[in-house]
């Protein structure tokens, strides 16, 4: 618990399993073993802060698909889903303020013919950060 409290990590569950049940380590050794296991798990997982993201439906033509994916990622967004038909509709998510930047790029790439529409908001984890 102290490992997570020191890193200000909340609402998590960590399970450390030991395959040797002996008492050779003693109480202090067991505490160090479990603490190291929790710290290693946190370091491997990293930390992502939850935040409010806006969801957008972005129309896209097939020739622009890969470029759109790159532009979404470059502005800090993620492509959550895609619907394929005569054209493509990408369901994207952007952190606060990034959707406006992407809208400008969408207008430039499509010469003003494509506009995205709001599809709601959702709490999502942000980019993964390394645990200290």
């Amino acid at each position: 618990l102290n490992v997570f409290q020191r890193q200000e990590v909340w609402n998590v569950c960590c399970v450390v399993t030991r395959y040797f049940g002996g008492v050779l380590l003693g109480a202090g050794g067991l505490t160090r073993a479990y603490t190291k296991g929790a710290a290693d798990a946190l370091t491997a997982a990293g930390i992502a802060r939850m935040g409010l993201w806006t969801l957008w439906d972005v129309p896209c033509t097939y020739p622009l698909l890969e470029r759109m994916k790159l532009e979404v990622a470059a502005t800090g967004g993620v492509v959550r889903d895609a619907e394929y038909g005569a054209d493509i509709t990408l369901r994207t998510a952007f952190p606060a303020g990034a959707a406006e930047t992407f809208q400008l790029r969408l207008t430039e790439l499509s010469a003003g013919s494509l506009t995205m529409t709001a599809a709601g908001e959702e709490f999502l984890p942000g980019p993964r950060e390394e645990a200290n």
Side-chain angles (χ1 to χ4, degrees):
L1 180 60
N2 288 334
V3 170
F4 294 105
Q5 288 175 337
R6 279 193 302 260
Q7 294 293 328
E8 296 181 5
V9 175
W10 311 106
N11 299 325
V12 297
C13 177
C14 180
V15 177
V16 177
T17 303
R18 292 186 65 244
Y19 290 102
F20 175 70
V23 293
L24 297 176
L25 294 176
L30 286 174
T31 301
R32 284 188 296 278
Y34 285 122
T35 299
K36 182 174 179 348
D40 290 348
L42 181 59
T43 300
I47 298 172
R49 302 204 186 279
M50 296 294 288
L52 187 62
W53 291 51
T54 55
L55 303 177
W56 297 86
D57 287 332
V58 180
C60 176
T61 61
Y62 282 92
L64 283 178
L65 176 61
E66 293 305 317
R67 181 62 188 257
M68 286 292 184
K69 288 179 181 179
L70 291 172
E71 292 294 335
V72 168
T75 55
V78 293
V79 175
R80 303 277 313 266
D81 194 17
E83 289 182 19
Y84 297 92
D87 283 324
I88 305 166
T89 301
L90 300 176
R91 172 62 57 96
T92 59
F94 292 96
E100 292 79 13
T101 304
F102 177 74
Q103 177 62 53
L104 295 173
R105 289 297 299 145
L106 179 63
T107 302
E108 289 176 17
L109 288 172
S110 68
S113 64
L114 300 176
T115 58
M116 56 190 205
T117 56
E121 296 178 328
E122 190 173 332
F123 279 97
L124 297 171
R128 184 181 174 273
E129 303 167 9
E130 295 295 322
N132 297 339

